[in-house]
Amino acid sequence: MVVGFLFACHGASSVLGWFGGFMGKGGTVAFGTWPGWWAGVIQLVGGILVMLGLGTRIAALISSGSMAYAYFVVHQETGLLPIQNGGVASAMYCWAFFLIVFTGAGPLSLDAVLSRSRTTAPAPEPEGASV
């Protein structure tokens, strides 16, 4: 939940201008610009979905890929290691979401709640069946 929340905050700052705006300088990323605006949308939507545990594995996979792209395209050019190139957050988010892809959301997620409600509903008894 925490990883999803923090990721959504990054998206909200880029797309909505919240929490100090884009890069802490106010404002937002221009609508539809590649890759900044699209990354912000992935961060906002993916973060909310992971936080709620709804479509978690798919949202985490897309979010992980987004951060891998950010690391290798934006950060890797200036240094090999994340500490050298400013890509620590991108690398951490990438691997955290990759872990969530395999572990899933957990028992408190909306996915789990919805799954339980589908399996606990009694099946209708066929007509003419006697006990």
Side-chain angles (χ1 to χ4, degrees):
M1 292 173 65
V2 173
V3 171
F5 173 73
L6 294 174
F7 200 58
C9 288
H10 280 283
S13 70
S14 297
V15 176
L16 304 174
W18 296 358
F19 312 118
F22 179 61
M23 302 294 282
K25 298 176 183 172
T28 62
V29 178
F31 178 81
T33 57
W34 178 260
W37 186 81
W38 293 100
V41 169
I42 290 171
Q43 292 166 357
L44 181 60
V45 174
I48 289 170
L49 289 173
V50 168
M51 179 177 63
L52 296 175
L54 186 62
T56 306
R57 291 177 192 259
I58 294 169
L61 181 65
I62 293 169
S63 297
S64 177
S66 169
M67 290 295 95
Y69 177 89
Y71 183 77
F72 288 111
V73 172
V74 176
H75 297 285
Q76 188 73 40
E77 296 176 350
T78 59
L80 177 63
L81 300 175
I83 195 75
Q84 296 170 317
N85 61 31
V88 172
S90 296
M92 291 294 291
Y93 277 123
C94 178
W95 287 107
F97 284 121
F98 197 60
L99 176 65
I100 292 169
V101 169
F102 293 100
T103 61
L108 299 178
S109 68
L110 286 180
D111 284 338
V113 170
L114 293 173
S115 176
R116 280 193 302 266
S117 69
R118 283 189 213 119
T119 58
T120 58
E125 193 170 313
E127 288 187 35
S130 60
V131 177

